[in-house]
Amino acid sequence: MSAKTAFPLIGANLLFALISSAGEPAMSTFSSPTITNPQAFPEFDFLTGTFTQTGEMDLDNGPGDLSISKFQLTAFLSEPITLMENLTMIPIFSYNTTQLDFDDVGAAFPIQDEDLHSISLSSVFLKNFQNSPWMVIGYARAEMATDFQAISTDDLTFDLAAGIAYRFSDTFTLGAGFVVTNLNGDDEIFPGINFDWAPCESFRAGIYGANILATYNISDNWHISLDGTPGGGNFNIRDAAGRSRTIQLDSYWVSINTHHRIVGELWFNAGVGYTFANEIEVRGNTGGGPSFSREMDGAPLAQIGLSLHKW
């Protein structure tokens, strides 16, 4: 499947940066949605579902290990919606479930096996300018990240982001932006510089916020990719004493994936990789008890998934 050189991908770097910085999975840039103005919006997958299984990550400074099973689903709820001239919006629904499987950590460990869930609604706004290489992008998200035990405002969070991109040539786009996370809690601001480089129809590479993507097209029905993406998240839970606590899971996943067309615009992908920069922290919210953190060793991982490249 070849990249569409007529589709400029102005701002694709920032689109991925803003989504990934707020915890969404990165999306393929090798589809071809049908929209009225193909210059106005980067390419993406309309529907993706991915399952990832890590190996056992040994906990430092203590016994036991942790393995993670994660399923992610991202769906664009409509084709791009034109709000006004040169201003486009896409609503997005995302769901993921993260299963933490601890082994031999002992009864004194502050948490045991957990099933964590994230449900979010977000919108990406894209403003392009007539006969101009500039593009402005905005992003807003509301998320509930929880174990579904006694849901409260601690389970809810809101993120905002904005950025700007400039297309230097048909093959290179550079952008910069920032994201503000957890507006109703311990808010943080993350700036970023991003780029997208497509020197030929068969190859594309870039850094998109916290995501890394390099893709090589072997044929119209097969391409391979090198993917780097954050694999963690923040989740509110209720511990055994009924206290509200936050689990912060930090992890970075790098994998090599092969993508194959099944039929029409339906694709299958599978890959193997490695997880590193792993750490888990448990901290109390209001009256939620003391904080606790452990770094973890790296481990192999495996992924499988399906994606729909256009409606």
Side-chain angles (χ1 to χ4, degrees):
M1 179 175 54
S2 62
K4 305 297 188 294
T5 56
F7 207 85
L9 287 176
I10 303 172
N13 48 350
L14 282 174
L15 176 63
F16 300 141
L18 301 181
I19 293 175
S20 64
S21 295
E24 305 289 348
M27 291 163 289
S28 168
T29 62
F30 285 82
S31 57
S32 53
T34 302
I35 59 178
T36 303
N37 178 11
Q39 300 289 324
F41 220 87
E43 302 176 8
F44 43 76
D45 291 343
F46 282 94
L47 180 66
T48 59
T50 303
F51 177 78
T52 304
Q53 178 66 56
T54 75
E56 297 175 345
M57 299 174 286
D58 291 335
L59 297 165
D60 293 346
N61 301 318
D65 55 64
L66 168 66
S67 58
I68 298 173
S69 303
K70 185 173 184 177
F71 172 74
Q72 303 176 99
L73 176 70
T74 300
F76 286 71
L77 298 180
S78 77
E79 293 188 346
I81 300 169
T82 300
L83 301 177
M84 60 181 67
E85 185 178 5
N86 297 322
L87 178 61
T88 309
M89 184 267 284
I90 282 188
I92 304 167
F93 169 80
S94 294
Y95 169 77
N96 76 66
T97 178
T98 302
Q99 296 179 324
L100 307 183
D101 184 10
F102 292 95
D103 189 30
D104 296 329
V105 294
F109 199 73
I111 58 173
Q112 300 299 313
D113 294 352
E114 293 283 352
D115 291 340
L116 308 173
H117 306 268
S118 169
I119 302 171
S120 69
L121 289 173
S122 56
S123 293
V124 175
F125 301 89
L126 190 92
K127 171 68 174 177
N128 68 326
F129 302 93
Q130 198 71 26
N131 301 318
S132 172
W134 289 99
M135 178 173 288
V136 176
I137 294 178
Y139 175 81
R141 182 176 75 146
E143 179 192 25
M144 180 173 67
T146 179
D147 62 354
F148 284 127
Q149 303 294 321
I151 294 174
S152 69
T153 55
D154 291 336
D155 299 72
L156 303 176
T157 189
F158 304 93
D159 309 314
L160 293 174
I164 191 168
Y166 186 87
R167 185 186 182 218
F168 285 89
S169 68
D170 291 343
T171 62
F172 184 75
T173 302
L174 181 66
F178 67 91
V179 59
V180 184
T181 66
N182 199 22
L183 288 174
N184 61 326
D186 297 326
D187 58 287
E188 296 180 278
I189 300 177
F190 301 97
I193 299 293
N194 318 275
F195 76 88
D196 181 80
W197 179 50
C200 61
E201 289 191 3
S202 61
F203 179 76
R204 167 167 270 111
I207 296 176
Y208 313 105
N211 288 43
I212 300 170
L213 175 66
T215 304
Y216 181 75
N217 296 327
I218 298 173
S219 71
D220 288 345
N221 300 311
W222 180 24
H223 66 271
I224 57 175
S225 66
L226 172 67
D227 300 79
T229 184
N234 289 358
F235 305 88
N236 188 67
I237 66 167
R238 294 284 174 169
D239 65 12
R243 298 174 298 185
S244 175
R245 312 194 77 180
T246 294
I247 294 178
Q248 178 174 327
L249 179 63
D250 295 322
S251 185
Y252 199 82
W253 298 350
V254 175
S255 60
I256 297 175
N257 291 274
T258 179
H259 307 254
H260 300 267
R261 187 193 301 271
I262 299 174
V263 62
E265 297 298 332
L266 182 63
W267 288 70
F268 169 80
N269 67 275
V272 293
Y274 198 76
T275 174
F276 61 94
N278 304 303
E279 183 177 6
I280 188 167
E281 179 181 359
V282 182
R283 58 179 181 271
N285 298 318
T286 304
S291 296
F292 172 91
S293 66
R294 282 284 189 273
E295 294 184 353
M296 298 176 289
D297 294 341
L301 63 84
Q303 295 178 323
I304 58 171
L306 292 171
S307 62
L308 185 65
H309 282 206
K310 70 177 182 180
W311 297 110

